[in-house]
Amino acid sequence: MRDKYPENKKTIIGGFHPVDELISKNGFFPGDELHVSRGPGKRIQEILHKAKKSAVHVYYDTPERLTNLLGDENHQGIVLVRTESLAIPELTEDDIRQGGIFVVLESVQDPGNLGVIARSIAAFGASGLIMSKHESAPLGQSAMKSSAGSLVNIPVMYTSRIGSFLQKWVDDIDIGIVG
Protein backbone atom coordinates (compact mmCIF):
# COMPACT_ATOMS: atom_id res chain seq x y z
CA MET A 1 0.00 0.00 0.00
CA ARG A 2 2.91 2.34 0.57
CA ASP A 3 3.49 2.63 -3.17
CA LYS A 4 0.10 4.33 -3.49
CA TYR A 5 0.70 6.71 -0.58
CA PRO A 6 4.28 7.90 -0.21
CA GLU A 7 5.17 9.10 3.27
CA ASN A 8 5.57 12.75 2.23
CA LYS A 9 2.25 13.09 0.42
CA LYS A 10 -0.43 15.32 1.89
CA THR A 11 -3.92 13.98 2.31
CA ILE A 12 -6.69 16.44 1.54
CA ILE A 13 -10.19 15.33 2.50
CA GLY A 14 -13.35 17.34 1.99
CA GLY A 15 -16.92 16.88 3.11
CA PHE A 16 -18.49 16.56 6.52
CA HIS A 17 -18.77 12.76 6.77
CA PRO A 18 -15.28 11.92 5.45
CA VAL A 19 -13.62 14.52 7.72
CA ASP A 20 -15.72 13.52 10.74
CA GLU A 21 -15.04 9.80 10.22
CA LEU A 22 -11.30 10.35 9.81
CA ILE A 23 -11.14 12.44 12.97
CA SER A 24 -13.34 10.02 14.92
CA LYS A 25 -11.16 7.07 13.89
CA ASN A 26 -7.67 8.61 14.07
CA GLY A 27 -8.07 11.94 15.86
CA PHE A 28 -6.19 15.01 14.73
CA PHE A 29 -2.49 14.73 13.89
CA PRO A 30 0.21 17.34 14.54
CA GLY A 31 0.30 19.71 11.59
CA ASP A 32 -3.31 19.12 10.55
CA GLU A 33 -5.09 22.12 9.10
CA LEU A 34 -8.84 22.50 9.11
CA HIS A 35 -10.37 24.83 6.52
CA VAL A 36 -14.01 25.86 6.88
CA SER A 37 -16.31 28.31 5.17
CA ARG A 38 -17.60 31.21 7.23
CA GLY A 39 -20.81 30.56 9.12
CA PRO A 40 -20.47 26.77 9.52
CA GLY A 41 -23.50 24.80 10.67
CA LYS A 42 -23.98 22.78 13.85
CA ARG A 43 -22.28 19.62 12.51
CA ILE A 44 -19.14 21.49 11.56
CA GLN A 45 -19.20 23.33 14.91
CA GLU A 46 -18.71 19.95 16.62
CA ILE A 47 -15.61 19.29 14.52
CA LEU A 48 -14.36 22.83 15.27
CA HIS A 49 -14.77 22.10 18.98
CA LYS A 50 -12.64 18.94 18.61
CA ALA A 51 -10.05 20.92 16.62
CA LYS A 52 -9.83 23.56 19.34
CA LYS A 53 -9.30 20.89 22.01
CA SER A 54 -6.51 19.41 19.88
CA ALA A 55 -4.90 22.80 19.14
CA VAL A 56 -5.41 22.35 15.38
CA HIS A 57 -5.07 25.50 13.31
CA VAL A 58 -8.42 26.43 11.76
CA TYR A 59 -8.63 28.61 8.65
CA TYR A 60 -11.87 30.39 7.80
CA ASP A 61 -11.94 30.51 4.02
CA THR A 62 -14.37 31.28 1.26
CA PRO A 63 -16.16 28.38 -0.45
CA GLU A 64 -14.10 29.17 -3.56
CA ARG A 65 -10.85 28.75 -1.60
CA LEU A 66 -12.05 25.37 -0.30
CA THR A 67 -12.90 24.34 -3.87
CA ASN A 68 -9.40 25.31 -5.01
CA LEU A 69 -7.79 23.51 -2.09
CA LEU A 70 -9.76 20.30 -2.59
CA GLY A 71 -9.96 20.42 -6.37
CA ASP A 72 -13.68 19.71 -6.09
CA GLU A 73 -16.63 21.88 -5.18
CA ASN A 74 -18.34 19.15 -3.13
CA HIS A 75 -16.59 20.03 0.14
CA GLN A 76 -19.72 20.87 2.19
CA GLY A 77 -17.84 23.78 3.74
CA ILE A 78 -15.05 21.76 5.36
CA VAL A 79 -11.64 20.50 4.23
CA LEU A 80 -8.97 18.73 6.29
CA VAL A 81 -5.35 18.96 5.14
CA ARG A 82 -3.16 16.30 6.72
CA THR A 83 0.57 16.30 6.15
CA GLU A 84 0.67 12.54 6.55
CA SER A 85 -0.70 9.98 4.15
CA LEU A 86 -4.16 8.52 4.60
CA ALA A 87 -4.14 5.70 7.15
CA ILE A 88 -6.02 2.75 5.71
CA PRO A 89 -5.77 -0.43 7.82
CA GLU A 90 -3.94 -3.30 6.16
CA LEU A 91 -5.62 -6.68 5.73
CA THR A 92 -3.24 -9.57 6.42
CA GLU A 93 -3.30 -13.26 5.59
CA ASP A 94 -3.77 -13.95 9.32
CA ASP A 95 -6.97 -11.86 9.18
CA ILE A 96 -8.22 -14.00 6.31
CA ARG A 97 -7.39 -17.23 8.18
CA GLN A 98 -9.52 -16.01 11.10
CA GLY A 99 -12.51 -15.96 8.77
CA GLY A 100 -15.17 -13.47 7.91
CA ILE A 101 -16.62 -11.96 4.80
CA PHE A 102 -14.14 -10.43 2.39
CA VAL A 103 -15.07 -8.49 -0.70
CA VAL A 104 -12.80 -8.98 -3.70
CA LEU A 105 -12.65 -6.30 -6.40
CA GLU A 106 -10.86 -6.61 -9.70
CA SER A 107 -10.23 -3.61 -11.93
CA VAL A 108 -12.62 -1.17 -10.28
CA GLN A 109 -11.10 1.95 -11.77
CA ASP A 110 -13.50 4.70 -10.73
CA PRO A 111 -12.66 6.10 -7.26
CA GLY A 112 -16.31 7.06 -6.74
CA ASN A 113 -17.45 3.50 -7.35
CA LEU A 114 -14.73 2.18 -5.06
CA GLY A 115 -15.86 4.54 -2.31
CA VAL A 116 -19.52 3.57 -2.65
CA ILE A 117 -18.59 -0.12 -2.52
CA ALA A 118 -16.42 0.51 0.56
CA ARG A 119 -19.27 2.35 2.28
CA SER A 120 -21.65 -0.52 1.51
CA ILE A 121 -19.36 -3.28 2.72
CA ALA A 122 -18.61 -1.34 5.90
CA ALA A 123 -22.35 -1.00 6.54
CA PHE A 124 -22.83 -4.74 6.06
CA GLY A 125 -19.93 -5.60 8.36
CA ALA A 126 -17.48 -7.13 5.88
CA SER A 127 -14.12 -8.05 7.38
CA GLY A 128 -11.97 -6.62 4.61
CA LEU A 129 -11.44 -5.60 1.03
CA ILE A 130 -9.12 -7.38 -1.39
CA MET A 131 -8.20 -5.47 -4.55
CA SER A 132 -6.11 -6.10 -7.63
CA LYS A 133 -2.85 -4.13 -7.62
CA HIS A 134 -3.20 -3.16 -11.24
CA GLU A 135 -6.02 -1.22 -12.85
CA SER A 136 -7.62 -0.34 -9.51
CA ALA A 137 -8.78 3.08 -8.37
CA PRO A 138 -6.53 4.74 -5.79
CA LEU A 139 -7.67 4.89 -2.18
CA GLY A 140 -7.47 8.66 -2.17
CA GLN A 141 -9.58 11.76 -1.77
CA SER A 142 -12.33 10.80 -4.24
CA ALA A 143 -12.74 7.29 -2.86
CA MET A 144 -12.70 8.63 0.70
CA LYS A 145 -15.39 11.20 -0.11
CA SER A 146 -17.61 8.60 -1.82
CA SER A 147 -17.14 6.20 1.08
CA ALA A 148 -18.28 8.93 3.51
CA GLY A 149 -15.08 8.26 5.43
CA SER A 150 -15.69 4.54 5.94
CA LEU A 151 -12.45 3.61 4.13
CA VAL A 152 -10.52 4.23 7.35
CA ASN A 153 -12.50 1.39 8.95
CA ILE A 154 -11.96 -1.31 6.31
CA PRO A 155 -8.74 -3.33 6.18
CA VAL A 156 -7.45 -3.54 2.59
CA MET A 157 -5.11 -5.97 0.84
CA TYR A 158 -3.69 -5.77 -2.69
CA THR A 159 -2.87 -8.81 -4.80
CA SER A 160 -1.39 -9.18 -8.28
CA ARG A 161 -3.60 -11.99 -9.54
CA ILE A 162 -7.10 -12.29 -8.14
CA GLY A 163 -7.76 -15.76 -9.63
CA SER A 164 -4.58 -17.30 -8.22
CA PHE A 165 -5.14 -15.58 -4.89
CA LEU A 166 -8.65 -16.99 -4.53
CA GLN A 167 -7.56 -20.48 -5.65
CA LYS A 168 -4.85 -20.48 -2.97
CA TRP A 169 -7.39 -19.79 -0.25
CA VAL A 170 -9.88 -22.33 -1.59
CA ASP A 171 -7.13 -24.96 -1.50
CA ASP A 172 -5.63 -23.91 1.86
CA ILE A 173 -8.62 -23.27 4.09
CA ASP A 174 -11.64 -24.41 2.11
CA ILE A 175 -13.35 -21.07 1.76
CA GLY A 176 -16.52 -20.48 -0.18
CA ILE A 177 -16.63 -18.00 -3.03
CA VAL A 178 -19.78 -16.23 -4.17
CA GLY A 179 -19.67 -14.16 -7.37
mmCIF file of all heavy atoms in Angstrom, residues 23 28 34-37 39-54 56-60 78:
data_model
loop_
_atom_site.group_PDB
_atom_site.id
_atom_site.type_symbol
_atom_site.label_atom_id
_atom_site.label_comp_id
_atom_site.label_asym_id
_atom_site.label_seq_id
_atom_site.Cartn_x
_atom_site.Cartn_y
_atom_site.Cartn_z
ATOM 1 N N ILE A 23 -11.480 11.910 11.657
ATOM 2 C CA ILE A 23 -11.145 12.445 12.972
ATOM 3 C C ILE A 23 -11.624 11.505 14.080
ATOM 4 O O ILE A 23 -10.918 11.263 15.053
ATOM 5 C CB ILE A 23 -11.747 13.853 13.158
ATOM 6 C CG1 ILE A 23 -11.056 14.834 12.218
ATOM 7 C CG2 ILE A 23 -11.612 14.326 14.598
ATOM 8 C CD1 ILE A 23 -11.778 16.143 12.081
ATOM 9 N N PHE A 28 -6.993 14.053 15.476
ATOM 10 C CA PHE A 28 -6.195 15.010 14.733
ATOM 11 C C PHE A 28 -4.726 14.650 14.885
ATOM 12 O O PHE A 28 -4.309 14.109 15.907
ATOM 13 C CB PHE A 28 -6.430 16.431 15.254
ATOM 14 C CG PHE A 28 -7.720 17.033 14.788
ATOM 15 C CD1 PHE A 28 -8.791 17.163 15.659
ATOM 16 C CD2 PHE A 28 -7.869 17.484 13.479
ATOM 17 C CE1 PHE A 28 -9.987 17.726 15.238
ATOM 18 C CE2 PHE A 28 -9.052 18.044 13.041
ATOM 19 C CZ PHE A 28 -10.115 18.168 13.921
ATOM 20 N N LEU A 34 -7.423 22.611 9.380
ATOM 21 C CA LEU A 34 -8.844 22.500 9.112
ATOM 22 C C LEU A 34 -9.286 23.795 8.448
ATOM 23 O O LEU A 34 -9.055 24.876 8.975
ATOM 24 C CB LEU A 34 -9.608 22.278 10.422
ATOM 25 C CG LEU A 34 -11.054 21.856 10.309
ATOM 26 C CD1 LEU A 34 -11.184 20.517 9.599
ATOM 27 C CD2 LEU A 34 -11.678 21.752 11.699
ATOM 28 N N HIS A 35 -9.890 23.676 7.279
ATOM 29 C CA HIS A 35 -10.371 24.831 6.521
ATOM 30 C C HIS A 35 -11.891 24.755 6.466
ATOM 31 O O HIS A 35 -12.436 23.729 6.068
ATOM 32 C CB HIS A 35 -9.802 24.819 5.099
ATOM 33 C CG HIS A 35 -8.317 24.934 5.055
ATOM 34 N ND1 HIS A 35 -7.688 26.121 4.755
ATOM 35 C CD2 HIS A 35 -7.333 24.026 5.282
ATOM 36 C CE1 HIS A 35 -6.379 25.929 4.792
ATOM 37 N NE2 HIS A 35 -6.137 24.672 5.096
ATOM 38 N N VAL A 36 -12.545 25.832 6.895
ATOM 39 C CA VAL A 36 -14.010 25.864 6.876
ATOM 40 C C VAL A 36 -14.488 27.166 6.252
ATOM 41 O O VAL A 36 -13.796 28.184 6.279
ATOM 42 C CB VAL A 36 -14.622 25.712 8.289
ATOM 43 C CG1 VAL A 36 -14.292 24.364 8.894
ATOM 44 C CG2 VAL A 36 -14.169 26.818 9.207
ATOM 45 N N SER A 37 -15.677 27.100 5.687
ATOM 46 C CA SER A 37 -16.314 28.314 5.167
ATOM 47 C C SER A 37 -16.868 29.104 6.340
ATOM 48 O O SER A 37 -17.175 28.547 7.389
ATOM 49 C CB SER A 37 -17.465 27.957 4.235
ATOM 50 O OG SER A 37 -17.014 27.266 3.119
ATOM 51 N N GLY A 39 -19.441 30.897 8.739
ATOM 52 C CA GLY A 39 -20.807 30.558 9.124
ATOM 53 C C GLY A 39 -21.116 29.073 9.070
ATOM 54 O O GLY A 39 -22.144 28.681 8.551
ATOM 55 N N PRO A 40 -20.212 28.198 9.587
ATOM 56 C CA PRO A 40 -20.470 26.765 9.520
ATOM 57 C C PRO A 40 -21.671 26.368 10.375
ATOM 58 O O PRO A 40 -21.970 26.996 11.382
ATOM 59 C CB PRO A 40 -19.182 26.142 10.058
ATOM 60 C CG PRO A 40 -18.585 27.191 10.927
ATOM 61 C CD PRO A 40 -18.988 28.509 10.314
ATOM 62 N N GLY A 41 -22.334 25.303 9.959
ATOM 63 C CA GLY A 41 -23.503 24.800 10.673
ATOM 64 C C GLY A 41 -23.128 24.025 11.927
ATOM 65 O O GLY A 41 -21.952 23.898 12.291
ATOM 66 N N LYS A 42 -24.140 23.475 12.570
ATOM 67 C CA LYS A 42 -23.975 22.783 13.845
ATOM 68 C C LYS A 42 -23.033 21.582 13.742
ATOM 69 O O LYS A 42 -22.199 21.366 14.625
ATOM 70 C CB LYS A 42 -25.335 22.330 14.363
ATOM 71 C CG LYS A 42 -25.279 21.652 15.699
ATOM 72 C CD LYS A 42 -26.644 21.236 16.183
ATOM 73 C CE LYS A 42 -26.522 20.504 17.500
ATOM 74 N NZ LYS A 42 -27.799 20.006 17.972
ATOM 75 N N ARG A 43 -23.132 20.808 12.640
ATOM 76 C CA ARG A 43 -22.284 19.616 12.508
ATOM 77 C C ARG A 43 -20.809 20.009 12.433
ATOM 78 O O ARG A 43 -19.965 19.379 13.065
ATOM 79 C CB ARG A 43 -22.669 18.818 11.264
ATOM 80 C CG ARG A 43 -24.071 18.271 11.314
ATOM 81 C CD ARG A 43 -24.401 17.371 10.157
ATOM 82 N NE ARG A 43 -24.000 17.901 8.871
ATOM 83 C CZ ARG A 43 -24.055 17.224 7.740
ATOM 84 N NH1 ARG A 43 -24.497 15.987 7.730
ATOM 85 N NH2 ARG A 43 -23.669 17.767 6.603
ATOM 86 N N ILE A 44 -20.523 21.053 11.680
ATOM 87 C CA ILE A 44 -19.138 21.492 11.562
ATOM 88 C C ILE A 44 -18.665 22.119 12.861
ATOM 89 O O ILE A 44 -17.491 22.010 13.236
ATOM 90 C CB ILE A 44 -18.963 22.426 10.345
ATOM 91 C CG1 ILE A 44 -19.199 21.624 9.055
ATOM 92 C CG2 ILE A 44 -17.579 23.065 10.336
ATOM 93 C CD1 ILE A 44 -19.123 22.430 7.780
ATOM 94 N N GLN A 45 -19.565 22.748 13.606
ATOM 95 C CA GLN A 45 -19.197 23.327 14.908
ATOM 96 C C GLN A 45 -18.644 22.245 15.842
ATOM 97 O O GLN A 45 -17.706 22.505 16.603
ATOM 98 C CB GLN A 45 -20.407 24.021 15.559
ATOM 99 C CG GLN A 45 -20.802 25.316 14.895
ATOM 100 C CD GLN A 45 -19.753 26.405 15.067
ATOM 101 O OE1 GLN A 45 -18.912 26.378 15.947
ATOM 102 N NE2 GLN A 45 -19.807 27.385 14.174
ATOM 103 N N GLU A 46 -19.208 21.040 15.775
ATOM 104 C CA GLU A 46 -18.714 19.946 16.616
ATOM 105 C C GLU A 46 -17.267 19.588 16.251
ATOM 106 O O GLU A 46 -16.441 19.327 17.122
ATOM 107 C CB GLU A 46 -19.623 18.726 16.470
ATOM 108 C CG GLU A 46 -21.011 18.949 17.036
ATOM 109 C CD GLU A 46 -21.971 17.816 16.717
ATOM 110 O OE1 GLU A 46 -21.531 16.754 16.235
ATOM 111 O OE2 GLU A 46 -23.184 17.996 16.961
ATOM 112 N N ILE A 47 -16.976 19.577 14.962
ATOM 113 C CA ILE A 47 -15.609 19.294 14.521
ATOM 114 C C ILE A 47 -14.680 20.438 14.949
ATOM 115 O O ILE A 47 -13.554 20.198 15.384
ATOM 116 C CB ILE A 47 -15.555 19.067 13.000
ATOM 117 C CG1 ILE A 47 -16.311 17.780 12.649
ATOM 118 C CG2 ILE A 47 -14.106 18.985 12.502
ATOM 119 C CD1 ILE A 47 -16.439 17.514 11.162
ATOM 120 N N LEU A 48 -15.161 21.681 14.842
ATOM 121 C CA LEU A 48 -14.357 22.834 15.270
ATOM 122 C C LEU A 48 -14.040 22.745 16.763
ATOM 123 O O LEU A 48 -12.932 23.098 17.195
ATOM 124 C CB LEU A 48 -15.082 24.143 14.957
ATOM 125 C CG LEU A 48 -15.161 24.527 13.483
ATOM 126 C CD1 LEU A 48 -16.081 25.735 13.299
ATOM 127 C CD2 LEU A 48 -13.787 24.810 12.926
ATOM 128 N N HIS A 49 -14.991 22.269 17.544
ATOM 129 C CA HIS A 49 -14.765 22.100 18.981
ATOM 130 C C HIS A 49 -13.647 21.071 19.233
ATOM 131 O O HIS A 49 -12.744 21.291 20.048
ATOM 132 C CB HIS A 49 -16.062 21.673 19.674
ATOM 133 C CG HIS A 49 -15.918 21.455 21.137
ATOM 134 N ND1 HIS A 49 -15.710 22.494 22.027
ATOM 135 C CD2 HIS A 49 -15.925 20.313 21.865
ATOM 136 C CE1 HIS A 49 -15.598 21.990 23.250
ATOM 137 N NE2 HIS A 49 -15.727 20.670 23.177
ATOM 138 N N LYS A 50 -13.686 19.956 18.491
ATOM 139 C CA LYS A 50 -12.640 18.940 18.610
ATOM 140 C C LYS A 50 -11.279 19.511 18.179
ATOM 141 O O LYS A 50 -10.256 19.217 18.790
ATOM 142 C CB LYS A 50 -12.968 17.720 17.758
ATOM 143 C CG LYS A 50 -14.163 16.926 18.241
ATOM 144 C CD LYS A 50 -14.474 15.791 17.268
ATOM 145 C CE LYS A 50 -15.756 15.080 17.630
ATOM 146 N NZ LYS A 50 -16.111 14.038 16.646
ATOM 147 N N ALA A 51 -11.297 20.316 17.116
ATOM 148 C CA ALA A 51 -10.054 20.924 16.621
ATOM 149 C C ALA A 51 -9.459 21.860 17.665
ATOM 150 O O ALA A 51 -8.242 21.864 17.890
ATOM 151 C CB ALA A 51 -10.319 21.673 15.313
ATOM 152 N N LYS A 52 -10.306 22.634 18.316
ATOM 153 C CA LYS A 52 -9.831 23.564 19.340
ATOM 154 C C LYS A 52 -9.201 22.802 20.502
ATOM 155 O O LYS A 52 -8.136 23.177 21.002
ATOM 156 C CB LYS A 52 -10.988 24.436 19.836
ATOM 157 C CG LYS A 52 -10.575 25.481 20.830
ATOM 158 C CD LYS A 52 -11.736 26.358 21.223
ATOM 159 C CE LYS A 52 -11.277 27.411 22.231
ATOM 160 N NZ LYS A 52 -12.362 28.285 22.653
ATOM 161 N N LYS A 53 -9.838 21.703 20.923
ATOM 162 C CA LYS A 53 -9.301 20.891 22.013
ATOM 163 C C LYS A 53 -7.961 20.269 21.646
ATOM 164 O O LYS A 53 -7.131 20.023 22.517
ATOM 165 C CB LYS A 53 -10.298 19.798 22.405
ATOM 166 C CG LYS A 53 -11.486 20.337 23.173
ATOM 167 C CD LYS A 53 -12.575 19.326 23.438
ATOM 168 C CE LYS A 53 -12.127 18.045 24.045
ATOM 169 N NZ LYS A 53 -13.228 17.126 24.360
ATOM 170 N N SER A 54 -7.749 20.030 20.349
ATOM 171 C CA SER A 54 -6.508 19.410 19.876
ATOM 172 C C SER A 54 -5.484 20.431 19.393
ATOM 173 O O SER A 54 -4.449 20.052 18.855
ATOM 174 C CB SER A 54 -6.817 18.437 18.734
ATOM 175 O OG SER A 54 -7.664 17.409 19.185
ATOM 176 N N VAL A 56 -5.563 22.385 16.837
ATOM 177 C CA VAL A 56 -5.409 22.349 15.384
ATOM 178 C C VAL A 56 -5.695 23.734 14.845
ATOM 179 O O VAL A 56 -6.655 24.395 15.255
ATOM 180 C CB VAL A 56 -6.376 21.310 14.761
ATOM 181 C CG1 VAL A 56 -6.431 21.443 13.249
ATOM 182 C CG2 VAL A 56 -5.971 19.911 15.176
ATOM 183 N N HIS A 57 -4.859 24.174 13.897
ATOM 184 C CA HIS A 57 -5.071 25.495 13.312
ATOM 185 C C HIS A 57 -6.272 25.436 12.375
ATOM 186 O O HIS A 57 -6.352 24.575 11.510
ATOM 187 C CB HIS A 57 -3.830 25.966 12.561
ATOM 188 C CG HIS A 57 -3.913 27.408 12.207
ATOM 189 N ND1 HIS A 57 -3.633 28.396 13.108
ATOM 190 C CD2 HIS A 57 -4.296 28.024 11.072
ATOM 191 C CE1 HIS A 57 -3.806 29.571 12.533
ATOM 192 N NE2 HIS A 57 -4.218 29.374 11.287
ATOM 193 N N VAL A 58 -7.207 26.358 12.570
ATOM 194 C CA VAL A 58 -8.420 26.433 11.756
ATOM 195 C C VAL A 58 -8.347 27.682 10.889
ATOM 196 O O VAL A 58 -8.062 28.775 11.380
ATOM 197 C CB VAL A 58 -9.693 26.474 12.633
ATOM 198 C CG1 VAL A 58 -10.938 26.625 11.766
ATOM 199 C CG2 VAL A 58 -9.780 25.220 13.500
ATOM 200 N N TYR A 59 -8.584 27.506 9.603
ATOM 201 C CA TYR A 59 -8.630 28.613 8.654
ATOM 202 C C TYR A 59 -10.078 28.820 8.229
ATOM 203 O O TYR A 59 -10.763 27.863 7.862
ATOM 204 C CB TYR A 59 -7.796 28.303 7.405
ATOM 205 C CG TYR A 59 -6.323 28.138 7.684
ATOM 206 C CD1 TYR A 59 -5.794 26.890 7.987
ATOM 207 C CD2 TYR A 59 -5.469 29.234 7.637
ATOM 208 C CE1 TYR A 59 -4.442 26.738 8.237
ATOM 209 C CE2 TYR A 59 -4.117 29.091 7.883
ATOM 210 C CZ TYR A 59 -3.610 27.835 8.190
ATOM 211 O OH TYR A 59 -2.273 27.691 8.439
ATOM 212 N N TYR A 60 -10.530 30.048 8.279
ATOM 213 C CA TYR A 60 -11.865 30.386 7.799
ATOM 214 C C TYR A 60 -11.709 30.952 6.394
ATOM 215 O O TYR A 60 -11.153 32.029 6.212
ATOM 216 C CB TYR A 60 -12.544 31.376 8.743
ATOM 217 C CG TYR A 60 -12.835 30.739 10.077
ATOM 218 C CD1 TYR A 60 -11.925 30.847 11.137
ATOM 219 C CD2 TYR A 60 -13.992 30.005 10.273
ATOM 220 C CE1 TYR A 60 -12.179 30.236 12.347
ATOM 221 C CE2 TYR A 60 -14.254 29.388 11.493
ATOM 222 C CZ TYR A 60 -13.342 29.507 12.516
ATOM 223 O OH TYR A 60 -13.591 28.894 13.722
ATOM 224 N N ILE A 78 -16.131 22.191 4.473
ATOM 225 C CA ILE A 78 -15.048 21.757 5.364
ATOM 226 C C ILE A 78 -14.026 20.928 4.596
ATOM 227 O O ILE A 78 -14.378 20.066 3.792
ATOM 228 C CB ILE A 78 -15.600 20.972 6.580
ATOM 229 C CG1 ILE A 78 -14.493 20.686 7.591
ATOM 230 C CG2 ILE A 78 -16.324 19.710 6.137
ATOM 231 C CD1 ILE A 78 -15.001 20.251 8.947
#
